[in-house]
Amino acid sequence: GTMLTGFSSSVLALVACRLLVGAGVCASSTGSSAYMADLTDRAPQHRAKIMGVNQAVAGSVWVVGPAVGGWLAETYGCRNSFIIASIGASLCSLGYTRLPETLPAAAAQRRRDMHSEQKGTSRSGSTGEQPPDHSGDLSRLAAAQLHVARWWEDIRPLLKSGNQQALVALAAIPSLRWSCFSTVVTLHAASVLGAGPWEIGLMFTALALSQGLAMPLGAYLADKTKGAKLSLVMPAGLLSCASFASVGFATTLEQFLASMAVQGLCAGFTVPAQGAFRAEVTPQALRGQAMSLERQLGSCIGFAGAGCMGV
């Protein structure tokens, strides 16, 4: 999707390519988040620190990526930036294939249970000969019904959990914020400053740099804070909202950079706290399902938010 984006020649082709990118990002990020949560079970007293280091490493790319990407776009054209990004994504995908499974026994048992139930469902109610033309369809239908039943069995307790409801609600904030960044903030900067790719890249670099610097301290405090960690999430969240509102009054590049830096600083405190709390309250076997709910809400907001704000 990223590679094809660079070669898109129409708006429809561009939208289709970005949909491919979004589908890949949602699938990989949900799996990687659940995988990291499983790994931190081995050292729960350091859960937030481990997640903070992981986030800091991943976020370090944003420190140089936007600025370098903006320079490449201005110097060599936008297409080269998409080509480089697609190569990096391909290398990451190959690296994922080398990681060991964190739930091998549980996953194998689940597959065996599903297979045995599927066979029992497809055989029930059959007497004598079975029409060969429809047996495959019946088997696939039974398998689909079984998958839906399994999914609902897993998802129902998550939907009723107050902790999960709060985490899903918090997951809407990054998508809403990035929808604003990608449309309103960039358009405002272009209107006020005449900002180009390089200046906009610097803004995102300031955001990522401050978040990376704050992440170790935020992770340390999250490990020391018990329960829902509201003492970290609430003040940082309110400060982030105030800083985001100040973008509307920014008139210089320095003011834009300062506002973005404060928002990154706040995220350095909220992200490790939310991640640690999510891992603590979510059963290990249901972490992928729980995180998929958060991603689904975030994707819906990202899908509608950017377009609505752009209009």
Side-chain angles (χ1 to χ4, degrees):
T2 303
M3 175 72 76
L4 294 175
T5 299
F7 294 91
S8 299
S9 57
S10 66
V11 175
L12 290 178
L14 179 64
V15 170
C17 293
R18 300 315 292 172
L19 287 174
L20 286 176
V21 174
V25 169
C26 288
S28 62
S29 59
T30 299
S32 62
S33 298
Y35 192 90
M36 178 56 63
D38 290 345
L39 293 179
T40 59
D41 285 340
R42 303 176 184 178
Q45 70 276 17
H46 301 296
R47 191 188 303 275
K49 297 187 188 72
I50 297 172
M51 291 184 170
V53 170
N54 177 67
Q55 291 285 343
V57 172
S60 64
V61 179
W62 285 86
V63 175
V64 295
V68 173
W71 176 77
L72 287 174
E74 288 186 341
T75 307
Y76 301 103
C78 296
R79 181 171 295 174
N80 288 321
S81 298
F82 289 105
I83 294 175
I84 294 172
S86 66
I87 294 174
S90 299
L91 294 175
C92 288
S93 299
L94 292 175
Y96 278 132
T97 63
R98 307 302 301 173
L99 297 175
E101 176 59 59
T102 54
L103 291 173
Q109 183 62 41
R110 189 176 185 84
R111 285 194 296 269
R112 286 194 295 268
D113 293 343
M114 183 175 294
H115 181 65
S116 61
E117 290 186 24
Q118 177 183 340
K119 290 177 64 178
T121 304
S122 60
R123 289 177 180 175
S124 62
S126 62
T127 57
E129 296 184 356
Q130 221 176 8
D133 294 337
H134 302 287
S135 59
D137 295 336
L138 291 174
S139 179
R140 285 191 291 271
L141 179 60
Q145 291 174 342
L146 182 59
H147 279 294
V148 172
R150 287 279 193 178
W151 172 81
W152 182 245
E153 180 184 350
D154 288 343
I155 218 75
R156 184 188 301 175
L158 297 176
L159 294 175
K160 294 181 178 180
S161 170
N163 289 328
Q164 296 299 329
Q165 292 171 4
L167 289 170
V168 170
L170 286 173
I173 297 175
S175 296
L176 186 61
R177 183 175 63 177
W178 281 106
S179 295
C180 292
F181 285 160
S182 60
T183 54
V184 178
V185 174
T186 53
L187 290 173
H188 180 56
S191 175
V192 174
L193 305 175
W198 184 74
E199 289 82 5
I200 294 174
L202 280 180
M203 291 165 55
F204 287 101
T205 295
L207 177 75
L209 181 60
S210 61
Q211 181 173 341
L213 292 175
M215 194 75 71
L217 178 59
Y220 173 80
L221 294 176
D223 277 333
K224 297 297 182 181
T225 306
K226 303 299 181 183
K229 310 183 192 304
L230 293 178
S231 59
L232 291 176
V233 175
M234 292 296 292
L238 292 174
L239 179 59
S240 178
C241 291
S243 176
F244 188 84
S246 69
V247 174
F249 302 95
T251 57
T252 65
L253 179 60
E254 290 75 15
Q255 292 174 349
F256 275 96
L257 294 178
S259 177
M260 299 291 277
V262 172
Q263 293 177 66
L265 184 72
C266 295
F269 286 90
T270 59
V271 171
Q274 293 176 27
F277 180 66
R278 181 187 299 110
E280 291 172 4
V281 301
T282 307
Q284 187 179 26
L286 300 180
R287 282 172 180 162
Q289 295 278 22
M291 293 175 188
S292 70
L293 292 176
E294 300 177 22
R295 293 293 177 182
Q296 287 171 4
L297 177 60
S299 297
C300 291
I301 292 176
F303 177 76
C308 293
M309 293 176 187
V311 172

